[in-house]
Amino acid sequence: MNEKEEPMNMNVTPPVEPVTEFEVPLPPDRKRPKWLVPLIAGGTAVVVLAAVGTGGYLYWNHNQLTAASEECATSYDKAVKVQKKLTEYLESDALKTAVTVKDSEVKDAKTVAVLTSTVKTAEKTKTTIPECPSGNLTDIRAMTKEIDGLATAYSRTVSEVADRADAVNGSKLDKIVADATKILNDSKGRVKDDKTRTVLENAIKSKDEKTISDAVKAVNDSIKAKSDADAKAGAEKEAQAAENGSSYTGDTTGGHTGYTGGGYTQSQGGGYTYTPQQPAGNGGGYAPAPQPAPQPTPQPPQGNNGGGSGGDDGYEDMCFVYPTDGSPSYQVPCS
C-alpha cells in the first residue's frame, strides 16, 4: 500500500525578505508609496555628504592657512627690503652732505632745520620686524597686517627724508644762483676778459653747481687781473709825474730858473740898503743859496745928513750896512 500522501497545505506563508533600516515592511497586499523612495535615497545622501563635508572643511582650512602664511611671508620680505633701504639712505654720502649744509649756505635756513629733525626721527624708527606665526589663521592675518604697516612706515620715512634733503640742496642751489647773478651784474666793465662773464651767464642758466662755481672763479680771477693791471699802470703814471715834477722850464742862468741877484740902494744918510730880487720865470721853487753881501762903496760926505761927519772935523765917516739875513743893521767905517 502506497504511503498515504499528505495533502498540500494551501495556506503556507511565503518566505519574508529581510527588512533594511530604511525600509518599512508593508503587507503583501499593499504597495510602497511613491514619496517614500526619494526619502530613503535622501537619507543615504545626507550620511555621505556629512562624511565628505568633514574632509572638505579640513582641506579648505589647510589651503587657507597655506595662503595666509605665504601672504605674511611676502609682507615680511617687503618690510625687510624697505627697512634696509631706509638704513642705507640714512648712511649715504648724499644725505650726510645735505645734513652738513650750513644756514648761511642756503637761501631758506628753515630747510636745514627741518631736515635735521626728520633725520633724528628716522634714526629712532623701530628696526625689529616680527616674524610670521604658524598654525592659526587669525594670528597669521593679524601679523601680516602689522608687518604691512611697518613696511609702509619705512617707505614713507625714506620719502620724507629724501624730500627734506632735496629741499636743502635746492635752497643751496638757489643761493648759488643768486650770488652768481650778483657777481655777473657787478663785474660789468671790471674784468680783463669779458668772455668770462658770458661763460658765467650760461652756467647760471644750466643751474649746475660745479659749472657755476668754476665760472664764478674765472670771473673773479679776471676781475683781479684787471685790478692788478690798473694798479700797475697807476703806479707807473705816478712815478712819471713825480719825475716830470722835478724838472724846470724857462730862461736859466747857471742851471737855475731866471734868477737875478739883489741890488743895493743908497740910503739918504749915505748908507746902503740891500733888496733881494724875487726869482723870475716858472721855476720849481728853487731858492738860490745866500750870497755874501758886497762891501759898500764909500761915498763922500754930504753935510750932516750921513751917519757921521768927515773932513776936518775929526770925525770918521760911518756907513750903515743892512744884513740880508734880517738881522739889525750896523755901522761900519765908510773907508
Side-chain angles (χ1 to χ4, degrees), residues 239-250:
Q240 185 177 3
E243 182 179 354
N244 293 337
S246 64
S247 63
Y248 299 92
T249 60

Side-chain angles (χ1 to χ4, degrees), residues 78-89 129 154:
K78 179 181 178 181
V80 170
K81 290 180 180 179
V82 177
Q83 182 193 54
K84 182 180 179 181
K85 183 178 180 180
L86 173 61
T87 302
E88 291 176 349
Y89 186 70
I129 301 175
Y154 290 142

Side-chain angles (χ1 to χ4, degrees), residues 79 82-87 90 117-130 146-147 149-161:
V82 177
Q83 182 193 54
K84 182 180 179 181
K85 183 178 180 180
L86 173 61
T87 302
L90 291 176
S117 176
T118 304
V119 170
K120 288 182 179 179
T121 301
E123 291 174 345
K124 296 178 181 179
T125 302
K126 183 178 180 180
T127 57
T128 302
I129 301 175
E146 180 179 347
I147 294 175
L150 289 175
T152 301
Y154 290 142
S155 181
R156 182 172 58 249
T157 302
V158 172
S159 297
E160 288 179 352
V161 176

Side-chain angles (χ1 to χ4, degrees), residues 72-214:
C72 186
T74 301
S75 297
Y76 179 85
D77 292 340
K78 179 181 178 181
V80 170
K81 290 180 180 179
V82 177
Q83 182 193 54
K84 182 180 179 181
K85 183 178 180 180
L86 173 61
T87 302
E88 291 176 349
Y89 186 70
L90 291 176
E91 297 175 354
S92 66
D93 293 337
L95 181 61
K96 289 180 180 179
T97 300
V99 171
T100 56
V101 173
K102 300 178 181 178
D103 294 351
S104 58
E105 297 176 332
V106 295
K107 194 172 183 179
D108 183 5
K110 292 181 180 179
T111 58
V112 176
V114 173
L115 174 61
T116 302
S117 176
T118 304
V119 170
K120 288 182 179 179
T121 301
E123 291 174 345
K124 296 178 181 179
T125 302
K126 183 178 180 180
T127 57
T128 302
I129 301 175
E131 296 184 357
C132 298
S134 60
N136 187 297
L137 184 61
T138 301
D139 293 343
I140 293 175
R141 288 177 174 173
M143 185 56 67
T144 301
K145 186 176 181 181
E146 180 179 347
I147 294 175
D148 286 340
L150 289 175
T152 301
Y154 290 142
S155 181
R156 182 172 58 249
T157 302
V158 172
S159 297
E160 288 179 352
V161 176
D163 290 344
R164 303 298 186 269
D166 290 343
V168 170
N169 293 330
S171 185
K172 181 181 178 182
L173 180 59
D174 290 342
K175 189 175 189 305
I176 290 175
V177 170
D179 292 345
T181 302
K182 187 176 186 303
I183 292 175
L184 177 65
N185 296 333
D186 294 346
S187 63
K188 186 175 182 180
R190 296 175 54 203
V191 293
K192 188 174 183 180
D193 183 5
D194 200 61
K195 292 180 180 179
T196 57
R197 296 183 68 254
T198 302
V199 173
L200 176 57
E201 183 177 6
N202 293 330
I204 292 173
K205 293 178 181 179
S206 72
K207 291 188 176 182
D208 181 78
E209 182 175 343
K210 187 177 185 306
T211 303
I212 295 175
S213 178
D214 293 342

